[in-house]
Amino acid sequence: MEIIQLVGIGIVGTILAVTVRSYRPEIGIGIAIAAGLLILSAAVEPLDTAVAEMREICTDSGIDMGYFAIILKIIGIAYLMQFAAETAKDAGEGAIAKKLEFGGKAMIIAMMMPVVKNLLELINSALAGF
């Protein structure tokens, strides 16, 4: 899907959601969520292409694929939690949105700990050589 189509979906979805929300808030929220999911699903193909290219770069350069998988999971968590938090904000649930953001950050910290541990071990072994 091209960028013009994505922008069109976003604009039409926004206008519909705002218009309907004033009469039927629950339907307006549903329209906003549907437009967001449509845009999100359209972004999957370009992301898939980028991931395949990144995987090829890692393989060619000899980078451990375990690190690549962790980075992909972290990026996925960040995007999904942002989407969920923005959806909660759209529904007027700012408190839930803040908790979603906090939970996502906690998950990212937990996911990155093996990478940090290996990095610190690498630094220690390099310093031990001096």
Side-chain angles (χ1 to χ4, degrees):
M1 192 176 283
E2 293 189 29
I3 190 71
I4 301 300
Q5 291 171 321
L6 290 177
V7 171
I9 292 169
I11 291 171
V12 170
T14 301
I15 291 169
L16 283 173
V18 169
T19 303
V20 172
R21 193 175 290 149
S22 62
Y23 302 104
R24 300 278 308 267
E26 67 280 0
I27 295 175
I29 291 168
I31 291 170
I33 291 171
L37 288 173
L38 192 59
I39 292 168
L40 188 65
S41 67
V44 169
E45 185 180 336
L47 284 176
D48 190 40
T49 303
V51 168
E53 289 181 29
M54 289 171 56
R55 186 176 289 124
E56 184 178 327
I57 291 169
C58 286
T59 302
D60 291 346
S61 64
I63 295 173
D64 184 6
M65 292 303 288
Y67 294 126
F68 177 70
I70 290 171
I71 290 169
L72 280 181
K73 288 177 186 176
I74 288 171
I75 292 170
I77 289 168
Y79 279 131
L80 290 174
M81 295 309 270
Q82 180 183 1
F83 180 79
E86 291 298 324
T87 301
K89 285 178 189 174
D90 288 346
E93 295 297 332
I96 292 174
K98 292 290 184 189
K99 273 62 169 193
L100 282 167
E101 291 170 355
F102 176 77
K105 290 172 185 174
M107 291 176 71
I108 287 171
I109 289 171
M111 293 285 300
M112 71 177 207
M113 291 316 294
V115 176
V116 171
K117 180 182 175 186
N118 286 341
L119 179 62
L120 291 175
E121 288 172 357
L122 179 65
I123 291 171
N124 282 337
S125 66
L127 290 176
F130 287 114

